[in-house]
Amino acid sequence: AAAAVHNIQTQKMSVSRAVAGLHRLRGSVMVARSFHAAAAARAEAIPVPGAAGGLSPKITSIVDDIAKLTLLEVSQLTQALKTKLNIGDIPMAAAAPAASAAAPAKGAAAEAAAPAAAAAPAQTTFTVKLVKFDAANKVKVIKEIKNILTNINLVEAKKLVEELPQVLKKDIPKEDAEKIKAALVAAGGEVVLE
């Protein structure tokens, strides 16, 4: 009788773990479906250049196939292409200063640019980027990333932390960006607001 009770309790625990896993999976599927639906709506709203005869049928077919991919599949495709084509990760924000540094302004042009830069409006939205972390606090940083990015699981948060620098949030108000930065710094991360 004790063995039967033990077997029933073991089965109950297995079922509850499976149900919890299904709930997590359902959440991921719902996020992927909403992303896919939004991508499909955008794809329908944007005219395809191939329809006007600008692209070859092969390219049009590839574009159509990519538009049907889920978020996870797009991520896998991106990584596969980067590996196949030997392309490194280059942050877009870092490319803009490099381009402007390549062509320095001289004389009157530099003087005219200085007042224009001073008159630029204050930045209202920010990008939060995790650039590094204290190795002793890796687990804390991963957990904090999981709390900030609620649509990812711990494995994805760990992968994100291991491949730094990473943009965590884009185009968010300064107040939210400061809160995220404070939480990550408290956990042992180094964060840059752009």
Side-chain angles (χ1 to χ4, degrees):
V5 169
H6 177 70
N7 285 341
I8 291 172
Q9 289 175 340
T10 304
Q11 288 175 349
K12 276 176 115 178
M13 289 187 339
S14 296
V15 168
S16 65
R17 279 191 222 123
V19 168
L22 287 174
H23 284 293
R24 285 191 303 273
L25 181 61
R26 188 185 83 194
S28 298
V29 168
M30 291 173 63
V31 168
R33 282 185 181 161
S34 66
F35 176 80
H36 186 66
R42 283 193 307 269
E44 291 174 2
I46 300 171
V48 178
L55 295 177
S56 72
K58 182 177 180 181
I59 299 297
T60 304
S61 172
I62 292 171
V63 170
D64 290 342
D65 290 344
I66 291 173
K68 294 176 187 173
L69 296 177
T70 65
L71 179 61
L72 180 60
E73 291 168 333
V74 170
S75 174
Q76 291 171 347
L77 174 64
T78 303
Q79 290 301 322
L81 286 172
K82 284 181 180 179
T83 303
K84 179 83 173 177
L85 300 174
N86 197 21
I87 299 172
D89 289 332
I90 301 173
M92 294 305 290
S100 64
K106 295 182 182 177
E111 293 171 11
Q123 185 175 356
T124 58
T125 60
F126 293 84
T127 298
V128 180
K129 183 188 289 187
L130 179 64
V131 290
K132 63 182 178 178
F133 62 92
D134 180 21
N137 295 324
K138 182 176 180 179
V139 173
K140 290 180 184 177
V141 173
I142 291 170
K143 287 181 179 179
E144 194 58 43
I145 294 292
K146 171 67 177 98
N147 290 337
I148 293 167
L149 303 175
T150 57
N151 60 336
I152 66 172
N153 61 33
L154 281 173
V155 174
E156 292 168 328
K158 179 180 181 278
K159 185 177 179 183
L160 188 140
V161 167
E162 291 172 346
E163 297 174 1
L164 295 180
Q166 289 286 343
V167 173
L168 302 176
K169 294 273 188 168
K170 289 184 178 181
D171 300 327
I172 61 172
K174 183 176 182 177
E175 180 181 304
D176 294 342
E178 290 291 339
K179 285 180 185 177
I180 292 171
K181 180 179 180 179
L184 284 168
V185 168
E190 185 175 318
V191 177
V192 174
L193 298 181
E194 299 175 340

